Amino acid sequence: MVKTPVRAALALAVLSGALWASPAAAAGHEETAPLTWAHRAEVTYGSLQQHLYQGPQEHGLYLEKTPRKEGENPHSYLWPLREAAAATVDMAELPRVGARYKRDAAERFTALRLYFDPRDGRSGYDSYLPAPLGQGGDVFYDDNAVVGLSFLDQYRSTGKELYLDRALETYSVVSRGWDEDPAKPCPGGMRWVDSPNNTMRAANVTGLAAQLAAELYAIDHDDRFLASAKRWYEWNWSCLRRSPGLYHNSRDDDGSVNETLWSYNSGAMIGTATTLYRATGDRAYLDRAVEDAQGSLTYWEQGDRLHDQPAIFNAFYFDNLRILNEVRPDRAYRAAATTYAERIWEENRTPSDGLFRFQPSGGGDHAPAAQAETLEQSAMVQIFAGLASDRS
């Protein structure tokens, strides 16, 4: 086993193009795999910080992309920063080395708060920085749901009540998204954005909001969270489920359905059902989670389907498979994440700077000339760190 003090030298070697352990070595020596993945997480995080992090002088914010082009915003949108925060929490949970990242994690959440707009009666995290740092933006309920989930991750990591309070506040924001119009086809569902022009009730925000409510219930057993989690989860199950583990993107107010499939919608429903099972003991939720996990893997592992999904969506998916694996272990869950992560490390990483580059979709084949993005770099940190922490 490599000792922690040696890692700085190893990181420099990898950044210059050397590979610390080959995929074959990782597969052939199972006992060293967690350390291999931890090292890759550290190297990938280091590249994120070197090339996309803007430093304390810029309020701890990140670039959206590098190199930044003329006319692009000076800082990232909310979603990429949230993913950088999630990645840093994952780094802080790494075996052996996590303590060195805890200060970084605290800084991420200070930066996240800069996106909060306390506008009268409709507060929430704006899609872009409000004044004085930016021009503000809309409150997207899916963004706010994942921000709430990150606050809970940081609360569990640190035990600080501030983060739980922020998650509770964000739950209140997201709750506004539930559609109360009984006249719409398949009534209910969460609206995508806080805007009178919104006509879409989406699987992503509904599933992620249900997961936020379920996790809050698991912490303090307030029945309002359980009621919300069940109601929101069941709407996705009833109104957007195509088959086990696969959920259509959204339902418009006119009844039409966007049938696009995304891996993170599979993941959110698996994670929500697992959390509801753990919090309530109702085995029906565990059975649903397992059914969705098996059905989704059957679909996503065909051909390049998983490879072509946005990397950040796969980060959500694998994270939720790990949640289920803690309750009902299945080697297939880790195998899917490992296969994907090995391929992306080999094919999508630019050795000269350690950054991952994808197609404009955020997934697929390596695009050498593309700008590298905080969103995808953070996704790969999350995936590698998840594999490092998962001992299954």
Side-chain angles (χ1 to χ4, degrees):
M1 301 290 280
V2 176
K3 303 297 183 183
T4 299
V6 181
R7 291 193 181 185
L10 291 173
L12 182 60
V14 173
L15 282 170
S16 64
L19 183 62
W20 182 68
S22 69
H29 300 281
E30 190 171 332
E31 73 278 2
T32 65
L35 187 57
T36 303
W37 292 119
H39 176 72
R40 291 179 179 179
E42 288 191 89
V43 169
T44 301
Y45 179 80
S47 295
L48 172 71
Q49 295 303 98
Q50 180 180 350
H51 298 285
L52 288 150
Y53 173 64
Q54 295 182 278
Q57 70 279 7
E58 291 290 347
H59 311 283
L61 296 167
Y62 283 77
L63 292 171
E64 182 86 4
K65 305 175 183 180
T66 189
R68 178 172 168 257
K69 295 181 179 178
E70 186 177 353
E72 292 180 340
N73 286 329
H75 309 293
S76 80
Y77 284 96
L78 171 64
W79 187 22
L81 179 60
R82 182 272 173 183
E83 299 311 331
T88 313
V89 174
D90 287 346
M91 294 299 296
E93 294 298 305
L94 282 176
R96 298 189 175 198
V97 300
R100 71 179 64 166
Y101 298 101
K102 291 189 179 296
R103 181 177 294 180
D104 282 12
E107 184 190 80
R108 295 300 95 81
F109 288 90
T110 300
L112 263 181
R113 193 62 179 178
L114 297 174
Y115 290 77
F116 186 80
D117 190 339
R119 62 170 69 83
D120 244 0
R122 309 295 288 187
S123 64
Y125 288 85
D126 282 3
S127 57
Y128 193 69
L129 291 153
L133 295 177
Q135 69 274 16
D138 290 320
V139 172
F140 286 85
Y141 290 122
D142 56 338
D143 286 357
N144 278 258
V146 295
V147 166
L149 288 167
S150 278
F151 279 130
L152 288 182
D153 286 341
Q154 180 72 341
Y155 168 69
R156 285 186 288 261
S157 179
T158 66
K160 293 184 177 179
E161 292 291 326
L162 169 65
Y163 299 118
L164 178 58
D165 291 344
R166 293 274 165 86
L168 291 167
E169 177 186 56
T170 309
Y171 164 83
S172 297
V173 173
V174 172
S175 297
R176 298 200 311 258
W178 181 256
D179 195 300
E180 299 283 1
D181 186 349
K184 290 179 180 177
C186 213
M190 306 291 287
R191 295 185 296 275
W192 182 43
V193 60
D194 188 7
S195 167
N197 298 320
N198 179 81
T199 61
M200 179 176 72
R201 294 161 290 155
N204 62 354
V205 57
T206 309
L208 293 164
Q211 190 167 13
L212 174 62
E215 291 194 12
L216 284 168
Y217 178 73
I219 290 171
D220 76 358
H221 298 286
D222 186 323
D223 285 343
R224 65 182 170 134
F225 300 134
L226 179 60
S228 294
K230 287 182 173 181
R231 187 183 194 190
W232 300 343
Y233 172 86
E234 292 294 344
W235 187 86
N236 261 6
W237 182 276
S238 300
C239 294
L240 290 176
R241 192 172 190 254
R242 187 179 91 175
S243 61
L246 302 178
Y247 292 83
H248 292 143
N249 179 75
S250 57
R251 181 178 287 272
D252 283 356
D253 291 347
D254 63 6
S256 60
V257 175
N258 179 334
E259 297 185 354
T260 305
L261 301 173
W262 301 111
S263 58
Y264 75 149
N265 288 335
S266 301
M269 292 295 282
I270 293 166
T272 301
T274 305
T275 302
L276 284 171
Y277 164 69
R278 296 177 80 166
T280 67
D282 186 340
R283 288 191 61 87
Y285 288 115
L286 178 59
D287 292 342
R288 284 187 175 192
V290 171
E291 182 183 34
D292 270 1
Q294 293 174 345
S296 63
L297 279 175
T298 298
Y299 177 85
W300 290 118
E301 289 193 300
Q302 291 184 33
D304 281 340
R305 283 174 175 166
L306 198 57
H307 173 73
D308 291 342
Q309 283 285 291
I312 190 58
F313 290 2
N314 289 338
F316 278 86
Y317 181 52
F318 297 139
D319 185 55
N320 283 291
L321 287 177
R322 281 192 298 276
I323 291 172
L324 174 58
N325 194 64
E326 293 173 359
V327 177
R328 177 67 66 81
D330 188 326
R331 294 179 181 176
Y333 306 153
R334 182 181 176 89
T338 299
T339 299
Y340 174 83
E342 291 283 15
R343 180 175 179 184
I344 298 302
W345 174 269
E346 286 294 307
E347 297 181 5
N348 289 73
R349 181 175 174 274
T350 306
S352 60
D353 59 15
L355 296 173
F356 290 82
R357 292 174 170 84
F358 297 87
Q359 297 299 311
S361 65
D365 293 338
H366 187 220
Q371 293 169 284
E373 302 193 27
T374 293
L375 191 64
E376 281 82 41
Q377 193 74 12
S378 299
M380 297 314 302
V381 173
Q382 293 174 39
I383 291 170
F384 297 148
L387 285 166
S389 300
D390 176 13
R391 299 282 182 171
S392 61

